[in-house]
Amino acid sequence: MATRLLGRRAFLERGCLFLAGATLPFGQSRAAEEAAPLVRIGLLTDLHHADRPPSGSRYYRETLSKCTEAAAHFRREKVDHVVELGDLIDSADSLETEKGYLRRIRRELATAPGTHHFVLGNHCVSALTKPEFLEIVGQERSYYSFEAGGYRFVVLDACFRGDGEPYGRQNFTWTDANIPAEEIDWLRSELKSVGIGAVVLVHQRLDAEPPYGIKNAAEVRKLLEDSGRVLAVLQGHYHPGDYREVKGIHYCTLSAMIEGSGPENNAYAVMDVLPGGAIRIAGFRRQRDYEWR
């Protein structure tokens, strides 16, 4: 309950974003607030789990206990899905040690309910290859989609070099993030088949330029805009978190779990998609709240 109060306090101090033009009449607003969500999703990002001493503001060993707290909260909230938005682990001295980091944090997160989805981040496939990462977390593909509550959730993979080669075995520079032509063709086809609406999930930012943004983000954004079906894009990678609205699409960068020591510096969220397409993100600890109608 304490974490919920911290989220609500941040909500009151920083303000909730009502991004639908005119203010709804009180009765409609209360009805939307009390409506049962069509789908509930637990969100977390940038855990950077590793058995390493702190470096700057990053407390690698503490993400285990932070993840335990988030998983327990997701159980209480009875989420339908859990989405980790990338950089689940950090680097190690050996490949086997890094695999051990991934198995350990995966076991901790496995205590959360629902179906789990892992967006690839640059640190996920620094020493590991994509097939190695995906095998350990139990996921078939690095980009795909799933249906929940009548909405389409589209998982993207921007861990490709500019020449189209996938990240892996330290063969890349983290600022060279791209979505290759094959994935863009898949995304175009995917968006054409969306019914009510879609939410896009990606690690690197689609609303910013490098170093934190995807190099061909403008091309991808145009696809999202032209579809007329994308409600929001949820991202990680930029640890402070951020928010922008671009041509009617909400781009929300979640705060990183790795930053800061102690439970008060945790960061995670629960997202509800409500009837009528409203999205409510309840943030906990350092994560901000948002509501888009």
Side-chain angles (χ1 to χ4, degrees):
M1 188 63 181
T3 58
R4 182 73 179 184
L5 291 172
L6 281 168
R8 291 298 104 191
R9 188 178 302 121
F11 176 86
L12 293 170
E13 290 174 351
R14 300 172 184 171
C16 183
L17 301 182
F18 293 93
L19 301 171
T23 303
L24 290 175
F26 176 78
Q28 291 183 31
S29 178
R30 175 62 61 86
E33 179 73 19
E34 294 178 352
L38 299 172
V39 62
R40 173 163 284 180
I41 295 181
L43 299 170
L44 66 169
T45 191
D46 290 88
L47 283 70
H48 289 265
H49 169 63
D51 186 12
R52 295 168 51 187
S55 177
S57 60
R58 300 185 180 188
Y59 288 77
Y60 301 95
R61 291 176 177 139
E62 293 190 25
T63 54
L64 275 176
S65 60
K66 290 178 178 180
C67 184
T68 299
E69 178 189 306
H73 185 80
F74 296 158
R75 289 196 300 273
R76 289 193 298 272
E77 294 291 313
K78 297 181 173 60
V79 301
D80 305 296
H81 296 264
V82 173
V83 173
E84 199 282 322
L85 287 165
D87 284 358
L88 182 59
I89 55 170
D90 210 274
S91 58
D93 294 334
S94 72
L95 179 60
E96 286 308 310
T97 301
E98 195 159 313
K99 287 181 178 180
Y101 292 168
L102 183 56
R103 293 187 182 101
R104 181 66 185 89
I105 196 67
R106 180 69 186 95
R107 288 198 303 272
E108 202 65 41
L109 192 55
T111 63
T115 305
H116 292 193
H117 307 271
F118 296 89
V119 180
L120 281 183
N122 48 294
H123 280 274
C124 298
V125 286
S126 178
L128 299 174
T129 64
K130 292 184 183 182
E132 287 169 341
F133 179 90
L134 294 172
E135 180 182 7
I136 291 174
V137 300
Q139 187 167 294
E140 292 186 5
R141 298 192 59 181
S142 64
Y143 63 90
Y144 64 99
S145 69
F146 63 94
E147 301 280 339
Y151 287 80
R152 182 84 51 88
F153 292 81
V154 181
V155 177
L156 296 181
D157 174 10
C159 292
F160 290 89
R161 301 186 324 205
D163 62 3
E165 283 295 307
Y167 286 10
R169 298 282 192 268
Q170 301 178 343
N171 69 342
F172 64 93
T173 302
W174 71 273
T175 56
D176 184 24
N178 302 266
I179 294 182
E182 180 181 354
E183 186 174 344
I184 284 179
D185 288 343
W186 171 85
L187 176 61
R188 182 180 292 108
S189 175
E190 193 72 16
L191 292 173
K192 286 179 180 178
S193 65
V194 169
I196 301 173
V199 174
V200 173
L201 310 163
V202 64
H203 180 65
Q204 296 91 335
R205 296 181 65 167
L206 279 171
D207 63 335
E209 299 298 321
Y212 293 101
I214 297 166
K215 282 191 170 181
N216 58 335
E219 179 184 6
V220 179
R221 284 199 307 270
K222 189 172 189 310
L223 275 182
L224 307 186
E225 293 156 8
D226 289 349
S227 76
R229 290 290 185 270
V230 177
L231 305 176
V233 177
L234 303 180
Q235 312 166 132
H237 197 48
Y238 180 66
H239 288 194
D242 201 1
Y243 168 82
R244 294 179 185 176
E245 182 183 356
V246 182
K247 296 188 176 179
I249 298 175
H250 306 293
Y251 291 82
C252 182
T253 304
L254 275 75
S255 298
M257 184 175 278
I258 182 68
E259 296 290 333
S261 178
E264 67 274 15
N265 282 305
N266 206 346
Y268 55 96
V270 172
M271 178 176 71
D272 287 339
V273 180
L274 303 169
I279 293 177
R280 180 175 58 214
I281 295 179
F284 300 90
R285 303 296 194 179
R286 289 185 301 101
Q287 177 57 51
R288 292 186 63 177
D289 296 317
Y290 298 97
E291 186 163 345
W292 309 313
R293 298 193 184 279

